[in-house]
Amino acid sequence: MKIESQQVAVITGGGSGIGAALARACALQGMQVVVADIDKGAADSIVAELEMFDAKALAVQVDIADEGSVQALADITREAFGDCHLLCNNAGVCINRSFADSTKADWDWVMSVNVMGTVNSLNAFLPGMLKAGGARHIVNTASLTGLVAIEAVGSVYTASKYALIGMSEILQQELAQTEIGVTILCPGAVNTRILESERNRPDSSATAETAPVPGGLDESFVRMIEPVDVAAMVLDAVRDNKLYVVTHPEWFPMIEQRVKLLESAFKD
Ligand code: NAD
């Protein structure tokens, strides 16, 4: 999609980290930006920052796990700015627990935000985007841990990101005949507040802290990059209609190892 001023960008999880960087990058392109976040204070402060540079921006409180809340976000967006051109389904939460330590509440919370939150957002925005016609784009934030399983990351988060990648690949196939492109963002380590995700966990689903899972990554794979660099890669992928954005090419040998294992299963 050609990125142009006055287009409408909606960014879930826009109050922090990668989402905030996406909001800044879109505002710099002259887009009208909806910063949607469960943490209204965080969304407000990003919008205040954008407005200092005369950007048109709106902070909206949303819980993407709640279908009605996301529908309200779509209605507010249309009323304020019109139909969405760039939908960044970016809000996500993380817990790194072993399978044995993960409770049903852990699974419910992470799946409700990472997977069903993205489904809710697509259900709320996609019909309007299709109806409005013209070039539009969807960015779903997954993770490199949606392409390869790393013990230290834990099964709950990993399963949620594998699910997102599968869903997004199908979405791209289903939308191939339209002017709506799909990009799957697969970051490695990015300097954000993701490891403090429990700050946004509803009290009703909280569980006691447990020890971090062993089986960490080799240090060479934990090269921390800044959200601003990720946002630049995303906007390039939107312009070029690329399906995948991979922020850490050095992870490829791990993915290749998985593919080789699969290959041997087919050949055995
Ligand atoms: P972050 O914690 O800094 O930002 C996440 C934002 O999402 C926060 O502002 C938070 O308030 C918001 N949020 C959480 N639950 C929400 C809900 N139910 N409804 C609406 N908003 C909600 O973390 P980040 O790293 O910027 O995370 C952005 C995305 O990037 C996530 O999907 C995460 O899984 C993914 N990711 C991050 C990394 C990394 O290393 N930081 C790596 C791979 C993938």
Side-chain angles (χ1 to χ4, degrees), residues 107-170:
W107 281 97
D108 286 346
W109 175 52
V110 174
M111 289 295 173
S112 73
V113 178
N114 293 5
V115 181
M116 290 315 296
T118 304
V119 172
N120 290 338
S121 178
L122 289 166
N123 281 339
F125 282 96
L126 189 51
M129 292 169 78
L130 283 165
K131 200 168 161 208
R136 290 165 201 272
H137 208 92
I138 294 163
V139 177
N140 288 343
T141 303
S143 170
L144 277 173
T145 63
L147 292 170
V148 63
I150 292 163
E151 189 184 351
V153 174
S155 52
V156 181
Y157 184 73
T158 301
S160 76
K161 295 300 185 178
Y162 267 67
L164 261 184
I165 288 180
M167 182 178 79
S168 307
E169 287 175 346
I170 295 289

Side-chain angles (χ1 to χ4, degrees), residues 180-191:
I180 302 183
V182 176
T183 290
I184 307 170
L185 170 59
C186 297
V190 188
N191 187 14

Side-chain angles (χ1 to χ4, degrees), residues 61-89:
Q61 181 166 31
V62 69
D63 177 0
I64 59 163
D66 176 338
E67 215 180 337
S69 176
V70 189
Q71 189 53 56
L73 169 68
D75 296 342
I76 293 166
T77 300
R78 187 173 302 110
E79 218 166 279
F81 295 145
D83 282 300
C84 176
H85 293 87
L86 176 61
L87 175 63
C88 297
N89 293 313

